[in-house]
Amino acid sequence: MAINLKKGESINLSKREPNLRKIKVGLGWDKKAGSGADFDLDVSVFVCQLNSTREPKLLSDEYFVFYNNKVSPDGAVAHSGDNRTGDAAGDDESVMVDLSKINPQAQEISFVVTIHDAETRNQNFGQIQNAYIRLYDNDNIVADYDLDEMFSNETAVQFGSFFKLDGEWLFKAVGAGYRLSLGDFVDGYK
């Protein structure tokens, strides 16, 4: 039975699904009617360790997984590719995460969705609806988080993160909006 998470809630995957290692992370969204031109939303994954002030920082540039770098060096994170319209039913983009392959230094795996050329196109998450992130064990939903919050001016949203706590993997529904570009996020995680 799937766990429906609310903003800020987490699930201990190591306890709830102790044999789960290969997780499909599906992300989806729809543009609101009358929002104009097509939206190109992009899922990016940041595989991080925590620095001395407990801030997540990329293990290396190669651990920034997105449409132009689809697989992390350890093979643990694999991006399905860029969906430029989000028109199809179901997940718009997905990422496979294999926790058995993850670099042992990794302490957080963060999922961020940005709007490509948001400033130029005058687009933001206030024009998006039905946004979600889902965790799958094969075709079965383990947990999901529907972003019910309205983001009026934000151009990027951190949907959720896996994080390691005392050797166990948890997933947290983050739902934090930002007025940042993808480049701003990359710089912040370096």
Side-chain angles (χ1 to χ4, degrees):
M1 181 171 181
I3 300 289
N4 299 98
L5 298 171
K6 300 290 181 209
K7 182 176 181 170
E9 291 182 337
S10 60
I11 177 176
N12 185 324
L13 294 170
S14 298
K15 288 183 179 172
R16 172 129 175 116
E17 302 285 337
N19 297 320
L20 182 60
R21 296 291 175 263
K22 294 181 181 179
I23 303 164
K24 177 184 170 190
V25 180
L27 300 102
W29 50 80
D30 296 313
K31 73 175 185 175
K32 289 181 180 175
S35 293
D38 285 342
F39 281 68
D40 181 7
L41 277 69
D42 298 314
V43 174
S44 299
V45 184
F46 298 88
V47 182
C48 301
Q49 61 187 353
L50 302 180
N51 67 11
S52 60
T53 59
R54 310 282 305 153
E55 294 175 301
K57 298 296 177 185
L58 279 169
L59 294 178
S60 70
D61 288 347
E62 294 77 21
Y63 282 92
F64 164 45
V65 179
F66 68 118
Y67 56 85
N68 277 338
N69 178 41
K70 293 183 185 171
V71 181
S72 61
D74 54 14
V77 178
H79 195 293
S80 66
D82 190 16
N83 176 339
R84 294 182 178 219
T85 64
D87 287 338
D91 301 335
D92 292 305
E93 293 188 13
S94 63
V95 177
M96 289 299 299
V97 177
D98 187 341
L99 295 175
S100 67
K101 292 182 178 180
I102 199 75
N103 184 313
Q105 292 181 308
Q107 296 170 290
E108 183 174 322
I109 306 167
S110 186
F111 298 85
V112 174
V113 178
T114 54
I115 301 173
H116 182 70
D117 284 336
E119 293 295 322
T120 305
R121 294 172 147 186
N122 197 27
Q123 295 177 336
N124 60 60
F125 272 88
Q127 299 162 306
I128 299 295
Q129 62 185 2
N130 305 324
Y132 66 84
I133 183 168
R134 292 184 181 138
L135 309 182
Y136 298 89
D137 178 6
N138 293 311
D139 290 329
N140 301 316
I141 299 172
V142 174
D144 66 351
Y145 167 46
D146 293 325
L147 280 76
D148 52 4
E149 185 169 336
M150 294 298 294
F151 299 100
S152 58
N153 293 309
E154 290 82 352
T155 56
V157 175
Q158 182 181 6
F159 277 43
S161 293
F162 288 107
F163 63 96
K164 193 188 286 187
L165 182 65
D166 299 327
E168 297 181 329
W169 283 102
L170 291 82
F171 177 80
K172 181 176 183 178
V174 177
Y178 304 91
R179 191 146 181 83
L180 299 172
S181 69
L182 180 55
D184 295 329
F185 266 100
V186 173
D187 291 344
Y189 278 112
K190 285 190 173 189

Short mmCIF file of all heavy atoms in Angstrom, two decimals, residues 45-48 77 97 99 102 106-111 160-163 169 171:
data_model
loop_
_atom_site.label_atom_id
_atom_site.label_comp_id
_atom_site.label_asym_id
_atom_site.label_seq_id
_atom_site.Cartn_x
_atom_site.Cartn_y
_atom_site.Cartn_z
N VAL A 45 19.08 15.68 -10.94
CA VAL A 45 19.37 14.94 -9.72
C VAL A 45 20.77 15.32 -9.26
O VAL A 45 21.72 15.33 -10.05
CB VAL A 45 19.29 13.42 -9.96
CG1 VAL A 45 19.49 12.66 -8.66
CG2 VAL A 45 17.96 13.04 -10.61
N PHE A 46 20.88 15.61 -7.98
CA PHE A 46 22.16 16.00 -7.38
C PHE A 46 22.52 14.95 -6.33
O PHE A 46 21.82 14.81 -5.33
CB PHE A 46 22.04 17.38 -6.74
CG PHE A 46 21.71 18.47 -7.71
CD1 PHE A 46 20.38 18.77 -8.01
CD2 PHE A 46 22.71 19.18 -8.34
CE1 PHE A 46 20.06 19.77 -8.92
CE2 PHE A 46 22.39 20.18 -9.26
CZ PHE A 46 21.06 20.48 -9.55
N VAL A 47 23.60 14.20 -6.58
CA VAL A 47 24.07 13.18 -5.64
C VAL A 47 25.16 13.85 -4.80
O VAL A 47 26.21 14.24 -5.32
CB VAL A 47 24.61 11.93 -6.36
CG1 VAL A 47 25.05 10.88 -5.36
CG2 VAL A 47 23.55 11.37 -7.31
N CYS A 48 24.88 13.97 -3.50
CA CYS A 48 25.70 14.83 -2.64
C CYS A 48 26.21 14.13 -1.38
O CYS A 48 25.65 13.14 -0.93
CB CYS A 48 24.86 16.03 -2.19
SG CYS A 48 24.21 17.03 -3.53
N VAL A 77 22.42 6.14 -10.58
CA VAL A 77 21.35 7.07 -10.94
C VAL A 77 21.32 7.20 -12.46
O VAL A 77 22.33 7.52 -13.08
CB VAL A 77 21.58 8.45 -10.29
CG1 VAL A 77 20.49 9.43 -10.69
CG2 VAL A 77 21.66 8.33 -8.76
N VAL A 97 17.01 4.79 -9.56
CA VAL A 97 18.02 4.88 -8.50
C VAL A 97 18.25 3.48 -7.96
O VAL A 97 17.31 2.81 -7.51
CB VAL A 97 17.56 5.82 -7.36
CG1 VAL A 97 18.58 5.85 -6.24
CG2 VAL A 97 17.30 7.22 -7.89
N LEU A 99 20.10 1.83 -5.06
CA LEU A 99 20.79 2.11 -3.80
C LEU A 99 21.92 1.13 -3.52
O LEU A 99 22.83 1.44 -2.75
CB LEU A 99 19.79 2.13 -2.64
CG LEU A 99 18.75 3.25 -2.70
CD1 LEU A 99 17.74 3.10 -1.57
CD2 LEU A 99 19.41 4.62 -2.65
N ILE A 102 25.05 2.85 -5.14
CA ILE A 102 25.35 4.25 -4.85
C ILE A 102 26.71 4.40 -4.19
O ILE A 102 27.10 3.58 -3.35
CB ILE A 102 24.23 4.90 -3.99
CG1 ILE A 102 24.28 6.42 -4.06
CG2 ILE A 102 24.24 4.41 -2.57
CD1 ILE A 102 23.78 7.01 -5.32
N ALA A 106 27.87 9.10 -0.71
CA ALA A 106 26.61 9.80 -0.95
C ALA A 106 25.75 9.79 0.31
O ALA A 106 25.56 8.76 0.94
CB ALA A 106 25.85 9.17 -2.10
N GLN A 107 25.24 10.97 0.67
CA GLN A 107 24.38 11.12 1.83
C GLN A 107 23.02 11.71 1.46
O GLN A 107 22.10 11.68 2.26
CB GLN A 107 25.06 12.00 2.88
CG GLN A 107 26.33 11.37 3.44
CD GLN A 107 27.11 12.36 4.27
OE1 GLN A 107 27.70 13.30 3.75
NE2 GLN A 107 27.10 12.14 5.58
N GLU A 108 22.92 12.27 0.25
CA GLU A 108 21.66 12.85 -0.20
C GLU A 108 21.57 12.75 -1.71
O GLU A 108 22.56 12.92 -2.41
CB GLU A 108 21.55 14.31 0.23
CG GLU A 108 20.23 14.95 -0.15
CD GLU A 108 20.06 16.36 0.40
OE1 GLU A 108 20.48 16.63 1.55
OE2 GLU A 108 19.51 17.19 -0.32
N ILE A 109 20.36 12.45 -2.19
CA ILE A 109 20.06 12.42 -3.62
C ILE A 109 18.84 13.31 -3.79
O ILE A 109 17.74 12.94 -3.40
CB ILE A 109 19.78 10.99 -4.11
CG1 ILE A 109 20.93 10.05 -3.74
CG2 ILE A 109 19.52 10.99 -5.62
CD1 ILE A 109 20.59 8.57 -3.92
N SER A 110 19.05 14.48 -4.37
CA SER A 110 18.01 15.50 -4.42
C SER A 110 17.43 15.63 -5.83
O SER A 110 18.17 15.63 -6.81
CB SER A 110 18.59 16.84 -3.98
OG SER A 110 17.59 17.80 -3.89
N PHE A 111 16.09 15.74 -5.92
CA PHE A 111 15.37 15.85 -7.18
C PHE A 111 14.81 17.26 -7.33
O PHE A 111 13.95 17.68 -6.56
CB PHE A 111 14.24 14.82 -7.25
CG PHE A 111 14.76 13.41 -7.19
CD1 PHE A 111 15.02 12.81 -5.98
CD2 PHE A 111 15.01 12.71 -8.35
CE1 PHE A 111 15.52 11.52 -5.92
CE2 PHE A 111 15.51 11.42 -8.32
CZ PHE A 111 15.77 10.82 -7.08
N GLY A 160 11.75 16.44 -3.91
CA GLY A 160 12.05 15.54 -2.80
C GLY A 160 13.50 15.13 -2.79
O GLY A 160 14.25 15.44 -3.72
N SER A 161 13.88 14.39 -1.73
CA SER A 161 15.26 13.93 -1.58
C SER A 161 15.31 12.60 -0.85
O SER A 161 14.58 12.39 0.11
CB SER A 161 16.10 14.93 -0.77
OG SER A 161 16.27 16.13 -1.45
N PHE A 162 16.21 11.73 -1.33
CA PHE A 162 16.62 10.59 -0.53
C PHE A 162 17.72 11.10 0.38
O PHE A 162 18.54 11.94 -0.03
CB PHE A 162 17.23 9.48 -1.40
CG PHE A 162 16.25 8.74 -2.25
CD1 PHE A 162 16.20 8.96 -3.62
CD2 PHE A 162 15.39 7.81 -1.70
CE1 PHE A 162 15.31 8.27 -4.42
CE2 PHE A 162 14.50 7.11 -2.49
CZ PHE A 162 14.46 7.34 -3.86
N PHE A 163 17.78 10.62 1.60
CA PHE A 163 18.92 10.96 2.45
C PHE A 163 19.24 9.80 3.37
O PHE A 163 18.38 8.99 3.71
CB PHE A 163 18.68 12.26 3.23
CG PHE A 163 17.53 12.22 4.20
CD1 PHE A 163 17.74 11.95 5.54
CD2 PHE A 163 16.23 12.47 3.77
CE1 PHE A 163 16.68 11.92 6.43
CE2 PHE A 163 15.17 12.44 4.65
CZ PHE A 163 15.39 12.16 5.99
N TRP A 169 18.35 4.53 4.37
CA TRP A 169 17.88 5.48 3.37
C TRP A 169 16.43 5.86 3.64
O TRP A 169 15.57 5.01 3.83
CB TRP A 169 18.01 4.91 1.96
CG TRP A 169 19.40 4.96 1.46
CD1 TRP A 169 20.30 3.94 1.39
CD2 TRP A 169 20.08 6.12 0.96
NE1 TRP A 169 21.50 4.39 0.88
CE2 TRP A 169 21.39 5.72 0.61
CE3 TRP A 169 19.73 7.45 0.77
CZ2 TRP A 169 22.33 6.60 0.08
CZ3 TRP A 169 20.66 8.34 0.24
CH2 TRP A 169 21.94 7.91 -0.10
N PHE A 171 13.27 8.84 2.40
CA PHE A 171 12.85 9.76 1.37
C PHE A 171 12.02 10.85 2.03
O PHE A 171 11.13 10.55 2.83
CB PHE A 171 12.02 9.09 0.27
CG PHE A 171 11.53 10.07 -0.75
CD1 PHE A 171 12.38 10.50 -1.77
CD2 PHE A 171 10.26 10.61 -0.68
CE1 PHE A 171 11.95 11.44 -2.70
CE2 PHE A 171 9.82 11.54 -1.61
CZ PHE A 171 10.66 11.96 -2.62
#
